[in-house]
Amino acid sequence: MSLAFLMLLLISTVLYGCNGGDEGSEGDGGETGDEGESTEEKILIFGRGGDSVSLDPITVTDGESFKVTKNIFDTLVNFGAQDTEIEPGLASEYSASEDGLTYTFQLEEGVTFHDGTDFNAEAVVANFDRWAGGDADQFPYYGSMFGGFGDDEGHVLESVEATGDYEVTMTLKRPMAPFLKNLAMSPFGIASPTAIEEQGDAFGDNPVGTGPFKFVEWNRNDTVRIEKFEDYWVEGEPKLDEVVFRAIPDNSGRLNALLAGEIDLADGINPSDAETIKSNEDLQLYERPSMNVGYLGLTTTREPFDDPKVRQAMNHAIDRQALVDAFFEGYGEVAKNPLPPVISGYNDAIEGYDYDPEKAKALLEEAGLGDGFEMELWAMPVPRPYMPDGQKIAEAIQSDLAEVGITAEIVSYEWATYLEKAAAGEADAFLLGWTGDNGDADNFLYVLLDQDNIGSNNYTYYENQELHDILIEAQTEVDEEVRNELYAEAQEIIHKDAPWVPLAHSTPLLAGGSNVVNFQPHPTGSDKLAEVDLE
C-alpha cells in the first residue's frame, strides 16, 4: 500500500469523524467555521409517545401531529406562552364590529413561506377557501369549530375576503364568542398556497408554513426532523438549529433514553417516575397546565350502548378513584363532567356517578341484561397526557366490568388506525381523551358531544337535539355569565344520557435535561419551541 494512499485514507477518516451523523444528542454536533473554529449546532431531540398522523394540521385531530406542526406553521392569532389569552400572530392587529359579525385583520408584512411564496391577504383567503370547500372527512376540525362547510346552514363564516394586500375581512352569519380563540388553534396554521397546489394530497408529507422551523424529513414511526428557518419573521427566533421528534412508545423507554442522554426532552412521563427526575440534578421536571379529560367512550349506535341504562351502569361499574390512585399518583383527579374544572362554565353542582357495582347490576337488570353481556374494550396503543397507560387502564376497567357480569375483550390498533376506526363508529367502547385547544367550554362540549360532529370528533355518535340547541345558543351568546348558565345546563343533559364514562383530569408531566432553557409547556399540548435554547 503506497504512502500517498495511506495519507488519503487517514484524511478521509478524520473528515468523516468531524461530520458525524445526521442527528445530535443533547445538543451535540458541530460544523467547522470559515476560520477553522468548531461552532456547536443546537439540536434538540424531543422524545414523544407516538408518531404523527399527518403534518398537514387541518387534516388531523391528534396531539402528536400538532406537536410538530405547531413549529412549522403560524396562525393569524396566538395564545399566550402558557395560557389561552389571545395575542397577535400573523395578524399584527385585529378588531371586531360592535355586532360581532365582522372581523378585520391587519397582517404582518415581509413574511415569506418556507418555499419563498409571499405571505399576504390572498394566501389567507386561499387557506380558508380550501378549508371551507372540504368536508368532515378531510378537515374535521374546521367543521367542528366553525359549524360546517360551504353552504351548510350551520357554517358560521359568510365570507373571507382580501380587502387590501395585507388586510383580511371575515364576515360571520351569527356572532361566535370563541371565534378568535378558534383561529389560534393549531389546525388553522396558514399553509403555502403554492405548496398546496403543487403537492395536493401529498402536502401532509411535505408541509410548508411560515413558522420558526421548516420541514426536513419524516421517517415513519421513528423521527421527524425540522430545521431553523433562517428568514423567520420574528427577530431572534428560533434559537435552535434543528429539532428531531423521536417516537418512543413506551414511557419507561422514553425516560431511559433521557437518562442516557439520547434525547433532551421527554413527553408523557409516568407520575411514578416524578421523584426519580426531581432527585436527579441533571434533569428537570415540567408540569403542563391541566386542561384535559380522559374518558371511556360508549358508541351509542351500537347495542347494548344504545340504551342509556346500560351506559349509566357502565358509569357505576368503574372505580374511577382507584384508577386515578393507581395510574396518576397525585397528578390527576377523578372526572365527573366532560369539561375540566379549570374551564369557565364547569358545573360543579353535578354529582358524579359513584362506584356502585350493585347499582350497575340493577340497571343492567332493568335493561334486560341481568346475565351481563360481551363487548370489545378498545385500549389506546400510545400514552397520552390524559391517559398515561391505556393498556393497563383497560385491564383495570376490564376487571371492574367482570364484577358486574360484563365480559370485555381488550383490543387495540396502531394509533392512526385506532382513531380512524373509532371515528367511524366501529368500537363498542373505547379509551380516548381530549386536551383543550382554546380554553373554551365550546371546545369540549360542542366539539366532542354535539350531533354536528358525529363522524369527526364525536366518536360516540351521541345525538340530542335539546343539547344541540343549547350549545349553538351558547356559541352565539357573548355574555359570559349567560354562556356559563347554558353550559351548566348542557352538562346536566350529558350526565343523564351518559355517552361517556369520564375518568380523569390529569396534570401531564414532561422531563428534560438541565441544559434545556426557556421550555414552557402549553396547556393545549402544542408546544412552540421558537424560544427554547440549549446551554
Side-chain angles (χ1 to χ4, degrees):
M1 188 179 293
S2 71
L3 179 61
F5 182 79
L6 280 171
M7 291 297 293
L8 179 61
L9 183 63
L10 178 61
I11 292 170
S12 298
T13 303
V14 170
L15 287 175
Y16 178 81
C18 288
N19 286 328
D22 290 335
E23 297 177 10
S25 176
E26 293 189 85
D28 290 342
E31 55 184 19
T32 304
D34 292 337
E35 302 300 321
E37 296 180 2
S38 177
T39 58
E40 187 177 358
E41 270 197 327
K42 296 179 179 180
I43 302 174
L44 178 86
I45 303 181
F46 197 141
R48 54 185 182 146
D51 198 11
S52 302
V53 174
S54 172
L55 299 182
D56 181 357
I58 194 60
T59 66
V60 294
T61 63
D62 70 295
E64 294 299 355
S65 295
F66 295 142
K67 195 175 268 96
V68 181
T69 64
K70 182 71 175 177
N71 293 284
I72 297 174
F73 298 88
D74 290 315
T75 45
L76 288 177
V77 290
N78 290 330
F79 292 129
Q82 286 194 293
D83 57 44
T84 54
E85 297 301 312
I86 296 300
E87 299 179 352
L90 285 171
S92 56
E93 298 177 22
Y94 42 90
S95 60
S97 60
E98 286 189 15
D99 60 6
L101 295 177
T102 304
Y103 286 78
T104 304
F105 300 86
Q106 304 298 329
L107 307 181
E108 289 281 354
E109 299 185 27
V111 177
T112 60
F113 291 96
H114 302 154
D115 61 0
T117 301
D118 290 333
F119 167 77
N120 52 31
E122 292 294 344
V124 174
V125 172
N127 276 264
F128 275 85
D129 284 350
R130 178 195 181 211
W131 303 337
D135 58 34
D137 290 335
Q138 293 174 291
F139 310 138
Y141 252 122
Y142 185 85
S144 294
M145 305 316 299
F146 298 114
F149 301 85
D151 296 328
D152 291 351
E153 183 180 349
H155 186 202
V156 73
L157 276 161
E158 180 72 45
S159 64
V160 178
E161 300 175 292
T163 47
D165 290 343
Y166 293 95
E167 181 181 274
V168 173
T169 301
M170 300 186 190
T171 305
L172 278 56
K173 297 176 185 175
R174 56 181 171 84
M176 176 177 259
F179 183 67
L180 286 175
K181 286 194 170 188
N182 290 352
L183 292 180
M185 288 166 46
S186 293
F188 307 115
I190 303 298
S192 164
T194 303
I196 289 171
E197 184 175 352
E198 289 178 351
Q199 298 178 30
D201 292 341
F203 182 77
D205 297 326
N206 299 279
V208 180
T210 63
F213 297 91
K214 63 180 182 180
F215 174 74
V216 178
E217 66 175 356
W218 183 4
N219 297 310
R220 295 276 182 172
N221 299 313
D222 187 12
T223 57
V224 177
R225 291 178 57 217
I226 57 177
E227 68 181 13
K228 179 177 185 176
F229 180 43
E230 297 290 352
D231 295 325
Y232 189 50
W233 57 278
V234 178
E235 187 175 352
E237 295 181 2
K239 310 293 186 185
L240 299 167
D241 295 297
E242 186 176 317
V243 178
V244 179
F245 294 93
R246 181 178 163 195
I248 307 174
D250 181 68
N251 285 8
S252 298
R254 211 173 313 115
L255 177 59
N256 288 335
L258 181 66
L259 290 168
E262 297 171 6
I263 61 176
D264 303 292
L265 276 172
D267 198 3
I269 294 296
N270 288 326
S272 58
D273 291 323
E275 290 306 316
T276 298
I277 295 161
K278 287 180 180 179
S279 63
N280 189 325
E281 63 181 12
D282 294 325
L283 300 179
Q284 50 188 321
L285 184 71
Y286 301 98
E287 294 186 13
R288 187 182 301 283
S290 180
M291 194 172 70
N292 62 42
V293 61
Y295 65 89
L296 176 67
L298 309 173
T299 307
T300 61
T301 53
R302 296 175 68 90
E303 294 182 351
F305 301 115
D306 55 346
D307 187 337
K309 289 183 178 179
V310 176
R311 303 196 297 264
Q312 292 167 3
M314 294 286 286
N315 271 271
H316 282 299
I318 296 172
D319 190 347
R320 282 171 272 206
Q321 187 63 59
L323 291 178
V324 169
D325 290 344
F327 300 106
F328 294 88
E329 300 193 29
Y331 292 96
E333 61 179 302
V334 171
K336 62 180 180 179
N337 292 321
L339 200 62
V342 296
I343 301 291
S344 181
Y346 179 80
N347 188 345
D348 197 32
I350 286 176
E351 292 187 16
Y353 288 92
D354 57 337
Y355 174 53
D356 190 340
E358 294 307 313
K359 179 65 173 175
K361 290 178 184 178
L363 285 165
L364 291 175
E365 186 75 42
E366 290 178 33
L369 294 169
D371 294 330
F373 61 91
E374 296 181 358
M375 59 172 281
E376 285 188 350
L377 171 59
W378 288 23
M380 294 170 58
V382 297
R384 300 299 302 134
Y386 44 75
M387 201 160 300
D389 194 325
Q391 180 67 31
K392 289 183 179 177
I393 289 175
E395 290 170 3
I397 291 174
Q398 181 187 48
S399 177
D400 284 345
L401 295 178
E403 292 295 317
V404 300
I406 300 172
T407 302
E409 178 191 357
I410 297 175
V411 298
S412 192
Y413 301 91
E414 182 269 331
W415 184 222
T417 304
Y418 185 98
L419 293 173
E420 181 182 349
K421 292 173 76 68
E426 296 181 22
D428 291 334
F430 55 91
L431 287 171
L432 205 58
W434 188 257
T435 298
D437 297 293
N438 63 11
D440 195 274
D442 176 77
N443 184 243
F444 283 84
L445 302 184
Y446 175 76
V447 170
L448 301 177
L449 290 161
D450 188 80
Q451 60 200 40
D452 277 353
N453 296 316
I454 288 173
S456 57
N457 289 307
N458 180 352
Y459 288 55
T460 62
Y461 283 63
Y462 168 57
E463 191 171 352
N464 184 304
Q465 185 62 43
E466 181 186 6
L467 175 70
H468 172 75
D469 294 341
I470 290 171
L471 293 179
I472 295 300
E473 184 181 352
Q475 276 186 358
T476 306
E477 178 59 59
V478 294
D479 185 308
E480 187 72 10
E481 188 173 331
V482 176
R483 289 189 84 212
N484 288 345
E485 291 173 359
L486 290 167
Y487 286 128
E489 186 179 351
Q491 287 163 83
E492 290 172 2
I493 295 170
I494 294 166
H495 178 73
K496 181 180 178 182
D497 287 348
W500 288 6
V501 181
L503 298 176
H505 306 294
S506 73
T507 299
L509 301 179
L510 306 89
S514 58
N515 61 327
V516 178
V517 295
N518 296 333
F519 175 66
Q520 300 184 76
H522 200 268
T524 61
S526 300
D527 305 315
K528 196 166 187 177
L529 304 175
E531 295 185 22
V532 175
D533 206 347
L534 290 171
E535 289 182 338

